[in-house]
Amino acid sequence: MAKGKNKERDTSSKVSSSQKRPQRRKYQETKHSAAYGDHKFPTKLAMWDFEHCDPKRCSGKKLERLGLIRSLRIGQKFQGIVVTPNATVVVCPNDKHLVDELGVAVVECSWARLQEIPFGKIGGRNERLLPYLIAANPVNYGRPMRLNCAEAIAACFAIVGRIDWAKELLQHFSYGPAFLSINKDLFELYQKGSDSDSILAIEKQYLAAMEKEKEIRKASKPAMDIWSMENPNRKEEEEEAEEEEEAEAEAEAEEEEEEEEEEEEEEEEEEEEEDHTLNETIRDLRVY
C-alpha cells in the first residue's frame, strides 16, 4: 500500500483567505430600515442627534417618536440631501430627484454649540445650505436663518417643489402653518430658480429689495400735522392740574402724618404721667 494513499484531500472544506478575513464595518446608511415604524413618509428622513435640545421641545425628537425620522450614528453618512451649516452649496430645485429618491437629513443640535459638532464625521456627498428664510418655531420665532429640524426639512421640500410634503411634515407642529405662511413669497421665488447660483441671486435680489423698501418707508414718514396734534395749552393745563392735585394729596398726607405723630406724642406723655403718679403712690405707701 502506497504511503499516504488513504489521506484523501477534502477540497470542499477549504475556505479562501478573503472569506476568512472579517469584513470592515462600513458606516453608511442602509437602503431600508425598520426604524421608521408604522408611520411611513414618502421619502427617507434622518438626523444626527447631539442631544443639545430639550427632548420635550425638540422637533427632531418628536418626528422620531412619530416614526417619521431615524437617528444616524457619528461616522455614518447619508446619501441624500444633508441640510447642514457646514455646506457650501445652497439647496435648489435641481435637487428634487435627490430628495425624491434618497431623502433629506439634518443635524439636530443647538445653534449656540455648532463648534462642538464633528462635521467631518457626519454629512454626505450632497450637503446643502438653506437660503434666507424666517423661523416660526417658539424658540426663534421671527429670526432669520434660525430654523429647527422640522422647519429645515420642510423648507428643503418646499424649495424643490414638494410643498405637499412640507405640509404633511409640519402638520404635527402648531407653528407649521405659520412657517409656511411667513415664507410663502420666498418659497415661490426660490421655486423659480434652477441651480444653486440662481437661488443665491434670488436671495440677494430679495434682500436688496427688502432693504430698499425699509429705507423708503423710513424716508416717507408723514410730516408732523399741527392740526391733528392735541392742544398744547390744554395739555399744559391738564398737567398743571394733575401736579396741583398731587401736591394737595401730598400735603394732606403730610398733615395726617403730623397729626398721627402728635397723637403718639400725647399718648406717650400720658403714659409717662401715669407712670410718675404710680411711682409716687408706691413711695407714699412705703413711707406710711
Side-chain angles (χ1 to χ4, degrees):
M1 184 178 291
K3 187 176 179 181
K5 186 175 181 181
N6 293 330
K7 295 181 179 180
E8 298 180 357
R9 296 180 180 179
D10 187 6
T11 57
S12 62
S13 62
K14 280 194 173 183
V15 180
S16 64
S17 59
S18 61
Q19 290 176 322
K20 289 182 179 180
R21 188 184 301 120
Q23 294 183 353
R24 294 179 62 185
R25 187 175 184 178
K26 296 182 180 180
Y27 288 97
Q28 59 182 357
E29 57 154 339
T30 55
K31 291 285 185 181
H32 304 284
S33 174
Y36 286 99
D38 297 331
H39 298 82
K40 295 292 184 180
F41 198 77
T43 192
K44 295 171 66 175
L45 303 179
M47 67 174 178
W48 291 271
D49 187 4
F50 289 91
E51 307 288 346
H52 290 176
C53 305
D54 182 357
K56 296 181 180 179
R57 304 175 68 180
C58 176
S59 63
K61 288 288 189 185
K62 183 172 183 178
L63 292 174
E64 188 176 33
R65 289 194 297 270
L66 292 171
L68 300 176
I69 197 170
R70 67 188 180 94
S71 292
L72 300 174
R73 301 182 303 275
I74 296 177
Q76 195 172 7
K77 300 293 184 178
F78 188 78
Q79 297 176 359
I81 295 295
V82 178
V83 180
T84 168
N86 197 48
T88 56
V89 181
V90 179
V91 66
C92 62
N94 287 354
D95 292 323
K96 184 176 183 297
H97 70 285
L98 293 172
V99 173
D100 290 349
E101 297 173 10
L102 301 175
V104 179
V106 290
V107 182
E108 177 59 83
C109 66
S110 171
W111 283 102
R113 299 171 63 180
L114 288 178
Q115 70 279 1
E116 302 177 16
I117 307 304
F119 287 107
K121 297 181 179 180
I122 62 176
R125 291 179 297 178
N126 301 303
E127 297 184 355
R128 297 290 189 270
L129 289 167
L130 287 173
Y132 180 87
L133 292 166
I134 305 296
N137 63 79
V139 178
N140 291 305
Y141 182 86
R143 298 182 64 185
M145 310 303 294
R146 284 294 184 267
L147 278 58
N148 63 15
C149 284
E151 290 173 321
I153 296 173
C156 187
F157 289 154
I159 291 171
V160 301
R162 284 294 189 180
I163 193 68
D164 54 334
W165 288 2
K167 291 179 179 179
E168 183 176 349
L169 184 75
L170 291 178
Q171 68 178 336
H172 304 288
F173 301 89
S174 60
Y175 53 85
F179 175 74
L180 296 176
S181 177
I182 291 171
N183 296 287
K184 182 176 182 295
D185 294 340
L186 282 168
F187 287 143
E188 291 176 353
L189 288 173
Y190 295 144
Q191 288 169 4
K192 295 177 181 178
S194 56
D195 56 6
S196 178
D197 291 338
S198 66
I199 297 299
L200 290 175
I202 293 171
E203 179 189 52
K204 183 178 179 180
Q205 185 178 4
Y206 177 84
L207 293 176
M210 188 170 63
E211 186 65 25
K212 185 177 180 180
E213 182 181 354
K214 181 180 178 181
E215 292 176 358
I216 293 173
R217 189 166 57 248
K218 184 178 179 180
S220 62
K221 286 185 177 180
M224 186 178 296
D225 185 4
I226 61 174
W227 302 109
S228 63
M229 294 175 59
E230 296 180 359
N231 188 335
N233 297 325
R234 180 176 297 175
K235 188 174 182 179
E236 290 178 359
E237 292 175 357
E238 292 175 353
E239 290 177 353
E240 291 176 356
E242 290 177 358
E243 290 177 357
E244 290 178 357
E245 290 177 358
E246 291 177 358
E248 291 177 358
E250 290 177 357
E252 291 177 358
E254 289 177 357
E255 290 178 358
E256 290 177 358
E257 289 178 357
E258 290 177 357
E259 291 177 357
E260 290 177 358
E261 290 176 357
E262 291 176 357
E263 290 177 357
E264 289 176 358
E265 289 177 358
E266 290 177 357
E267 289 176 358
E268 289 176 358
E269 290 176 357
E270 290 177 358
E271 289 176 358
E272 289 177 358
E273 290 178 359
E274 290 177 357
D275 292 339
H276 181 71
T277 304
L278 180 61
N279 290 332
E280 288 182 349
T281 303
I282 293 171
R283 184 181 59 189
D284 293 340
L285 290 172
R286 286 178 178 175
V287 172
Y288 180 78

Coordinates of all heavy atoms in Angstrom, one line a residue, residues 74-150:
I74 N -22.6 58.9 14.6 CA -21.4 59.7 14.2 C -20.5 58.7 13.4 O -20.2 57.6 13.8 CB -20.7 60.3 15.4 CG1 -21.6 61.3 16.1 CG2 -19.4 60.9 15.0 CD1 -20.9 61.8 17.4
G75 N -20.1 59.2 12.2 CA -19.4 58.3 11.3 C -20.2 57.7 10.2 O -19.7 57.2 9.3
Q76 N -21.5 57.8 10.4 CA -22.5 57.3 9.4 C -22.8 58.4 8.4 O -23.1 59.5 8.8 CB -23.7 56.7 10.1 CG -24.6 55.8 9.3 CD -25.7 55.2 10.1 OE1 -25.9 55.6 11.3 NE2 -26.5 54.3 9.5
K77 N -22.8 58.1 7.1 CA -23.1 59.0 6.1 C -24.5 58.9 5.6 O -25.1 57.8 5.8 CB -22.0 58.9 4.9 CG -20.6 59.1 5.4 CD -20.4 60.6 5.8 CE -18.9 60.8 6.1 NZ -18.6 62.2 6.5
F78 N -24.9 59.9 4.9 CA -26.3 59.9 4.3 C -26.2 60.2 2.8 O -25.4 61.1 2.4 CB -27.2 60.9 5.0 CG -28.6 60.8 4.6 CD1 -29.4 59.8 5.1 CD2 -29.2 61.7 3.7 CE1 -30.8 59.8 4.7 CE2 -30.5 61.7 3.3 CZ -31.3 60.7 3.8
Q79 N -26.9 59.4 2.0 CA -26.8 59.5 0.5 C -27.6 60.7 -0.1 O -27.2 61.2 -1.2 CB -27.2 58.2 -0.2 CG -26.3 57.0 0.2 CD -26.8 55.7 -0.4 OE1 -27.8 55.7 -1.1 NE2 -26.1 54.7 -0.1
G80 N -28.6 61.1 0.6 CA -29.5 62.1 0.1 C -29.0 63.5 0.4 O -27.8 63.8 0.6
I81 N -29.9 64.5 0.4 CA -29.6 65.9 0.7 C -29.4 66.0 2.2 O -30.2 65.5 3.0 CB -30.7 66.8 0.3 CG1 -30.9 66.8 -1.2 CG2 -30.5 68.2 0.8 CD1 -29.7 67.4 -2.0
V82 N -28.2 66.6 2.6 CA -27.9 66.8 4.0 C -28.0 68.3 4.3 O -27.1 69.1 3.7 CB -26.5 66.3 4.4 CG1 -26.2 66.6 5.8 CG2 -26.5 64.8 4.1
V83 N -28.9 68.8 5.0 CA -29.0 70.2 5.3 C -28.1 70.5 6.5 O -28.4 70.0 7.6 CB -30.5 70.6 5.6 CG1 -30.6 72.1 6.0 CG2 -31.4 70.3 4.5
T84 N -27.1 71.2 6.3 CA -26.1 71.5 7.3 C -25.4 72.8 7.2 O -25.2 73.3 6.0 CB -25.0 70.4 7.3 OG1 -23.9 70.8 8.1 CG2 -24.5 70.2 5.9
P85 N -25.1 73.5 8.3 CA -24.5 74.8 8.2 C -23.0 74.7 7.7 O -22.4 75.7 7.4 CB -24.5 75.3 9.6 CG -24.7 74.1 10.5 CD -25.5 73.2 9.7
N86 N -22.5 73.5 7.6 CA -21.1 73.3 7.1 C -21.0 73.2 5.6 O -20.0 73.1 5.1 CB -20.6 72.0 7.8 CG -19.1 71.9 7.7 OD1 -18.4 72.8 8.0 ND2 -18.6 70.8 7.2
A87 N -22.2 73.2 4.9 CA -22.2 73.1 3.5 C -21.7 74.4 2.8 O -21.6 75.5 3.4 CB -23.6 72.7 3.0
T88 N -21.4 74.3 1.5 CA -21.0 75.4 0.7 C -21.9 75.7 -0.5 O -21.8 76.6 -1.2 CB -19.6 75.2 0.1 OG1 -19.5 74.0 -0.6 CG2 -18.6 75.1 1.3
V89 N -22.9 74.8 -0.7 CA -23.9 74.9 -1.8 C -25.3 75.0 -1.2 O -25.6 74.4 -0.2 CB -23.8 73.6 -2.7 CG1 -24.7 73.7 -3.9 CG2 -22.3 73.4 -3.2
V90 N -26.1 75.8 -1.9 CA -27.5 76.1 -1.4 C -28.4 75.1 -2.1 O -28.3 74.8 -3.3 CB -27.9 77.5 -1.8 CG1 -29.3 77.8 -1.3 CG2 -26.9 78.5 -1.1
V91 N -29.4 74.6 -1.4 CA -30.4 73.7 -1.9 C -31.2 74.4 -3.0 O -31.4 75.6 -2.9 CB -31.3 73.2 -0.8 CG1 -32.2 74.3 -0.2 CG2 -32.2 72.1 -1.3
C92 N -31.5 73.7 -4.1 CA -32.2 74.3 -5.2 C -33.2 73.3 -5.9 O -33.1 72.1 -5.6 CB -31.1 74.7 -6.3 SG -30.1 73.3 -6.9
P93 N -34.0 73.8 -6.8 CA -35.0 72.9 -7.4 C -34.3 71.8 -8.2 O -35.0 70.7 -8.3 CB -35.7 73.9 -8.4 CG -35.7 75.2 -7.7 CD -34.3 75.2 -7.1
N94 N -33.1 71.9 -8.6 CA -32.4 70.8 -9.3 C -32.1 69.6 -8.4 O -31.8 68.6 -8.9 CB -31.1 71.3 -9.9 CG -31.3 72.2 -11.2 OD1 -32.5 72.3 -11.6 ND2 -30.3 72.8 -11.7
D95 N -32.3 69.8 -7.1 CA -32.1 68.7 -6.1 C -33.3 67.9 -5.9 O -33.3 67.0 -5.1 CB -31.6 69.3 -4.8 CG -30.3 70.0 -4.8 OD1 -29.4 69.5 -5.5 OD2 -30.1 71.0 -4.1
K96 N -34.3 68.1 -6.7 CA -35.6 67.4 -6.5 C -35.4 65.9 -6.6 O -36.0 65.1 -5.8 CB -36.6 67.9 -7.5 CG -38.0 67.3 -7.3 CD -39.0 67.9 -8.3 CE -40.4 67.3 -8.0 NZ -40.5 65.8 -8.3
H97 N -34.7 65.4 -7.6 CA -34.5 64.0 -7.8 C -33.8 63.3 -6.6 O -34.1 62.2 -6.2 CB -33.8 63.7 -9.1 CG -32.3 64.1 -9.0 ND1 -31.9 65.4 -9.1 CD2 -31.2 63.3 -8.9 CE1 -30.6 65.4 -9.1 NE2 -30.1 64.2 -8.9
L98 N -32.9 64.1 -6.0 CA -32.2 63.6 -4.8 C -33.1 63.5 -3.6 O -33.1 62.5 -2.8 CB -31.0 64.5 -4.4 CG -29.8 64.5 -5.4 CD1 -28.8 65.5 -5.0 CD2 -29.2 63.1 -5.5
V99 N -34.0 64.5 -3.4 CA -34.9 64.5 -2.4 C -36.0 63.4 -2.5 O -36.3 62.6 -1.6 CB -35.7 65.8 -2.3 CG1 -36.8 65.8 -1.3 CG2 -34.7 66.9 -1.9
D100 N -36.4 63.2 -3.8 CA -37.4 62.2 -4.0 C -36.9 60.8 -3.8 O -37.5 59.9 -3.2 CB -37.9 62.3 -5.5 CG -38.8 63.5 -5.7 OD1 -39.2 64.2 -4.7 OD2 -39.1 63.9 -6.9
E101 N -35.7 60.5 -4.3 CA -35.1 59.2 -4.3 C -34.4 58.8 -3.1 O -34.4 57.6 -2.6 CB -34.2 59.0 -5.6 CG -34.9 59.2 -6.9 CD -34.0 59.2 -8.1 OE1 -32.8 58.9 -7.8 OE2 -34.4 59.5 -9.2
L102 N -33.6 59.8 -2.5 CA -32.7 59.4 -1.4 C -33.1 60.1 -0.1 O -32.6 59.7 1.0 CB -31.3 59.8 -1.8 CG -30.8 59.1 -3.0 CD1 -29.4 59.7 -3.4 CD2 -30.7 57.6 -2.8
G103 N -33.9 61.2 -0.1 CA -34.4 61.8 1.1 C -33.6 62.9 1.6 O -32.7 63.5 0.9
V104 N -33.9 63.3 2.9 CA -33.2 64.5 3.5 C -32.8 64.2 4.9 O -33.5 63.5 5.6 CB -34.2 65.7 3.5 CG1 -33.6 66.9 4.2 CG2 -34.7 66.0 2.1
A105 N -31.6 64.7 5.3 CA -31.1 64.5 6.6 C -30.7 65.9 7.2 O -30.4 66.8 6.4 CB -29.9 63.6 6.6
V106 N -30.8 66.0 8.5 CA -30.5 67.3 9.2 C -29.6 67.0 10.4 O -29.4 65.8 10.8 CB -31.7 68.0 9.6 CG1 -32.5 68.5 8.5 CG2 -32.6 67.1 10.5
V107 N -29.0 68.0 10.9 CA -28.1 68.0 12.1 C -28.9 68.5 13.2 O -29.2 69.7 13.2 CB -26.8 68.7 11.9 CG1 -25.9 68.6 13.1 CG2 -26.0 68.2 10.7
E108 N -29.3 67.7 14.2 CA -30.1 68.1 15.3 C -29.1 68.6 16.4 O -28.6 67.8 17.2 CB -31.0 67.0 15.8 CG -31.8 67.3 17.1 CD -32.7 68.5 16.9 OE1 -33.8 68.4 16.4 OE2 -32.3 69.6 17.3
C109 N -28.9 69.9 16.5 CA -28.0 70.5 17.5 C -28.4 71.9 17.8 O -29.3 72.5 17.2 CB -26.6 70.4 17.0 SG -26.3 71.5 15.6
S110 N -27.8 72.5 18.8 CA -28.1 73.9 19.2 C -27.3 74.8 18.3 O -26.1 74.6 18.0 CB -27.7 74.1 20.7 OG -27.7 75.5 21.0
W111 N -27.9 75.9 17.9 CA -27.2 76.9 17.1 C -26.0 77.5 17.9 O -25.0 77.9 17.3 CB -28.1 78.0 16.7 CG -29.0 77.7 15.6 CD1 -30.3 77.3 15.6 CD2 -28.7 77.6 14.2 NE1 -30.8 77.0 14.4 CE2 -29.8 77.2 13.5 CE3 -27.5 77.9 13.5 CZ2 -29.9 77.1 12.1 CZ3 -27.5 77.7 12.1 CH2 -28.7 77.3 11.4
A112 N -26.1 77.5 19.2 CA -25.1 78.1 20.1 C -23.9 77.2 20.3 O -22.9 77.6 20.9 CB -25.6 78.5 21.4
R113 N -24.0 75.9 19.8 CA -22.9 74.9 20.1 C -22.4 74.3 18.8 O -22.0 73.1 18.8 CB -23.5 73.9 21.1 CG -23.9 74.5 22.4 CD -24.6 73.5 23.3 NE -23.7 72.4 23.7 CZ -24.1 71.3 24.4 NH1 -25.4 71.3 24.9 NH2 -23.3 70.3 24.7
L114 N -22.5 75.0 17.7 CA -22.0 74.4 16.5 C -20.5 74.0 16.5 O -20.1 73.1 15.8 CB -22.2 75.5 15.3 CG -23.7 75.7 14.9 CD1 -23.7 76.8 13.8 CD2 -24.3 74.4 14.4
Q115 N -19.7 74.7 17.3 CA -18.3 74.4 17.3 C -18.1 73.1 17.9 O -16.9 72.5 17.8 CB -17.6 75.5 18.1 CG -17.8 75.5 19.6 CD -19.1 76.2 20.0 OE1 -19.8 76.7 19.2 NE2 -19.4 76.3 21.3
E116 N -19.0 72.4 18.6 CA -18.9 71.1 19.2 C -19.2 70.0 18.2 O -18.9 68.8 18.5 CB -19.8 71.0 20.4 CG -19.5 72.0 21.5 CD -20.5 71.9 22.6 OE1 -21.2 70.8 22.7 OE2 -20.7 72.8 23.4
I117 N -19.7 70.3 17.0 CA -20.2 69.3 16.1 C -19.0 68.8 15.3 O -18.3 69.6 14.6 CB -21.3 69.8 15.2 CG1 -22.4 70.4 16.1 CG2 -21.8 68.7 14.3 CD1 -23.0 69.5 17.1
P118 N -18.8 67.4 15.2 CA -17.7 66.9 14.3 C -18.2 66.8 12.9 O -18.5 65.7 12.4 CB -17.4 65.5 15.0 CG -18.8 65.1 15.6 CD -19.4 66.4 16.0
F119 N -18.3 67.9 12.2 CA -18.8 67.9 10.8 C -18.1 66.9 9.9 O -18.7 66.4 8.9 CB -18.9 69.3 10.3 CG -19.9 70.2 10.9 CD1 -19.6 71.2 11.8 CD2 -21.3 70.0 10.6 CE1 -20.6 72.0 12.3 CE2 -22.3 70.8 11.1 CZ -21.9 71.8 12.0
G120 N -16.8 66.7 10.2 CA -16.0 65.8 9.3 C -16.5 64.4 9.4 O -16.2 63.6 8.5
K121 N -17.2 64.0 10.5 CA -17.6 62.6 10.7 C -19.1 62.4 10.4 O -19.6 61.3 10.6 CB -17.3 62.2 12.1 CG -15.8 62.2 12.5 CD -15.6 61.8 13.9 CE -14.2 61.8 14.3 NZ -13.9 61.3 15.7
I122 N -19.8 63.4 9.9 CA -21.2 63.2 9.5 C -21.4 63.9 8.1 O -20.4 64.3 7.5 CB -22.1 63.9 10.5 CG1 -21.8 65.4 10.6 CG2 -22.0 63.3 11.9 CD1 -22.8 66.2 11.5
G123 N -22.6 63.9 7.7 CA -22.9 64.5 6.4 C -22.9 63.5 5.2 O -23.4 62.4 5.4
G124 N -22.5 64.0 4.1 CA -22.5 63.1 2.9 C -22.0 63.9 1.7 O -21.5 65.0 1.8
R125 N -22.3 63.3 0.5 CA -21.8 63.9 -0.7 C -22.7 65.1 -1.2 O -22.3 65.9 -2.0 CB -21.8 62.9 -1.9 CG -20.7 61.8 -1.7 CD -20.7 60.8 -2.8 NE -22.0 60.1 -2.8 CZ -22.3 59.2 -3.7 NH1 -21.5 58.9 -4.7 NH2 -23.5 58.5 -3.7
N126 N -23.9 65.2 -0.7 CA -24.9 66.2 -1.1 C -25.3 67.1 0.0 O -26.4 67.2 0.4 CB -26.1 65.5 -1.7 CG -25.8 64.6 -2.8 OD1 -25.2 65.0 -3.8 ND2 -26.1 63.3 -2.7
E127 N -24.3 67.8 0.6 CA -24.6 68.7 1.7 C -25.1 70.1 1.1 O -24.5 70.6 0.1 CB -23.3 68.9 2.5 CG -22.8 67.7 3.2 CD -21.6 67.9 4.1 OE1 -21.1 69.0 4.1 OE2 -21.2 67.0 4.8
R128 N -26.1 70.6 1.8 CA -26.7 71.8 1.3 C -26.9 72.8 2.4 O -27.2 72.5 3.6 CB -28.0 71.5 0.6 CG -27.9 70.6 -0.6 CD -27.3 71.3 -1.8 NE -27.4 70.6 -3.0 CZ -26.5 69.7 -3.4 NH1 -25.4 69.5 -2.6 NH2 -26.6 69.0 -4.5
L129 N -26.8 74.1 2.1 CA -27.3 75.2 2.9 C -28.7 75.6 2.6 O -29.2 75.3 1.4 CB -26.4 76.4 2.8 CG -25.0 76.4 3.3 CD1 -24.2 77.5 2.8 CD2 -25.0 76.4 4.8
L130 N -29.4 76.3 3.4 CA -30.7 76.8 3.1 C -30.6 78.3 2.8 O -29.8 79.0 3.5 CB -31.7 76.6 4.3 CG -32.2 75.2 4.5 CD1 -33.0 75.1 5.7 CD2 -33.0 74.7 3.3
P131 N -31.3 78.9 1.9 CA -31.3 80.3 1.7 C -32.0 81.1 2.8 O -32.5 80.4 3.7 CB -31.9 80.5 0.3 CG -32.9 79.3 0.2 CD -32.2 78.2 1.0
Y132 N -32.1 82.4 2.6 CA -32.8 83.2 3.6 C -34.2 82.8 3.8 O -35.0 82.8 2.9 CB -32.7 84.7 3.1 CG -33.4 85.7 4.1 CD1 -32.6 86.2 5.1 CD2 -34.7 86.0 4.0 CE1 -33.2 87.1 6.0 CE2 -35.3 86.9 4.8 CZ -34.5 87.5 5.9 OH -35.1 88.4 6.7
L133 N -34.5 82.5 5.1 CA -35.9 82.1 5.5 C -36.1 82.6 6.9 O -35.1 82.8 7.7 CB -36.1 80.6 5.4 CG -36.1 80.0 4.0 CD1 -36.0 78.5 4.0 CD2 -37.4 80.4 3.2
I134 N -37.4 82.7 7.3 CA -37.7 83.2 8.7 C -38.2 82.0 9.5 O -39.1 81.2 9.1 CB -38.8 84.3 8.6 CG1 -38.3 85.4 7.7 CG2 -39.1 84.8 10.0 CD1 -37.1 86.1 8.1
A135 N -37.7 81.9 10.7 CA -38.2 80.8 11.6 C -39.5 81.2 12.2 O -39.9 82.3 12.4 CB -37.2 80.6 12.7
A136 N -40.3 80.2 12.5 CA -41.6 80.3 13.2 C -41.7 79.5 14.4 O -42.8 79.6 15.1 CB -42.8 80.0 12.2
N137 N -40.7 78.7 14.8 CA -40.7 77.9 16.0 C -40.7 78.8 17.2 O -40.2 79.9 17.2 CB -39.6 76.9 16.0 CG -38.2 77.6 16.0 OD1 -37.8 78.0 17.1 ND2 -37.6 77.7 14.9
P138 N -41.2 78.3 18.3 CA -41.4 79.2 19.5 C -40.0 79.7 20.1 O -40.0 80.7 20.7 CB -42.0 78.2 20.6 CG -42.7 77.2 19.7 CD -41.9 77.0 18.5
V139 N -38.9 79.0 19.8 CA -37.6 79.4 20.4 C -37.1 80.5 19.6 O -36.5 81.5 20.2 CB -36.7 78.2 20.4 CG1 -35.3 78.6 20.9 CG2 -37.2 77.0 21.2
N140 N -37.2 80.5 18.3 CA -36.5 81.6 17.5 C -37.5 82.3 16.5 O -37.2 82.6 15.4 CB -35.4 80.9 16.6 CG -34.2 80.5 17.5 OD1 -33.7 81.3 18.2 ND2 -33.9 79.2 17.4
Y141 N -38.8 82.4 17.0 CA -39.8 83.0 16.1 C -39.4 84.4 15.6 O -38.9 85.3 16.3 CB -41.1 83.2 16.9 CG -42.2 83.7 16.1 CD1 -43.0 82.8 15.3 CD2 -42.5 85.1 16.0 CE1 -44.0 83.3 14.5 CE2 -43.5 85.5 15.2 CZ -44.3 84.7 14.4 OH -45.3 85.1 13.6
G142 N -39.5 84.5 14.3 CA -39.2 85.8 13.6 C -37.8 86.0 13.3 O -37.4 87.0 12.7
R143 N -36.9 85.1 13.7 CA -35.5 85.3 13.5 C -35.1 84.7 12.1 O -35.4 83.5 11.9 CB -34.6 84.7 14.6 CG -34.9 85.4 15.9 CD -34.0 84.8 17.0 NE -32.6 85.0 16.8 CZ -31.6 84.6 17.5 NH1 -31.9 83.8 18.5 NH2 -30.4 84.9 17.3
P144 N -34.3 85.4 11.3 CA -33.9 84.8 10.0 C -32.8 83.7 10.3 O -32.0 83.8 11.2 CB -33.2 85.9 9.3 CG -33.7 87.2 10.0 CD -33.9 86.8 11.4
M145 N -33.0 82.6 9.5 CA -32.0 81.5 9.4 C -31.8 80.8 10.8 O -30.7 80.3 11.0 CB -30.6 82.1 9.0 CG -30.7 83.0 7.7 SD -31.4 82.1 6.3 CE -30.1 80.8 6.1
R146 N -32.8 80.8 11.6 CA -32.7 80.0 12.8 C -33.8 79.0 12.9 O -34.6 78.8 13.8 CB -32.9 81.0 14.0 CG -31.6 81.8 14.3 CD -30.5 80.9 14.8 NE -29.3 81.7 15.1 CZ -28.3 81.9 14.3 NH1 -28.4 81.5 13.0 NH2 -27.2 82.6 14.7
L147 N -33.9 78.2 11.8 CA -34.9 77.1 11.7 C -34.5 75.9 12.5 O -33.3 75.6 12.7 CB -35.0 76.7 10.2 CG -35.8 77.6 9.3 CD1 -35.3 79.0 9.2 CD2 -35.8 77.0 7.9
N148 N -35.5 75.2 13.0 CA -35.3 74.0 13.7 C -35.3 72.8 12.7 O -35.5 73.1 11.5 CB -36.3 73.7 14.8 CG -37.7 73.6 14.4 OD1 -38.0 73.4 13.2 ND2 -38.6 73.7 15.3
C149 N -35.2 71.6 13.1 CA -35.0 70.5 12.2 C -36.3 70.3 11.3 O -36.2 70.1 10.1 CB -34.8 69.2 13.0 SG -33.1 69.1 13.6
A150 N -37.4 70.4 11.9 CA -38.7 70.2 11.1 C -38.8 71.3 10.1 O -39.2 71.0 8.9 CB -39.9 70.2 12.1

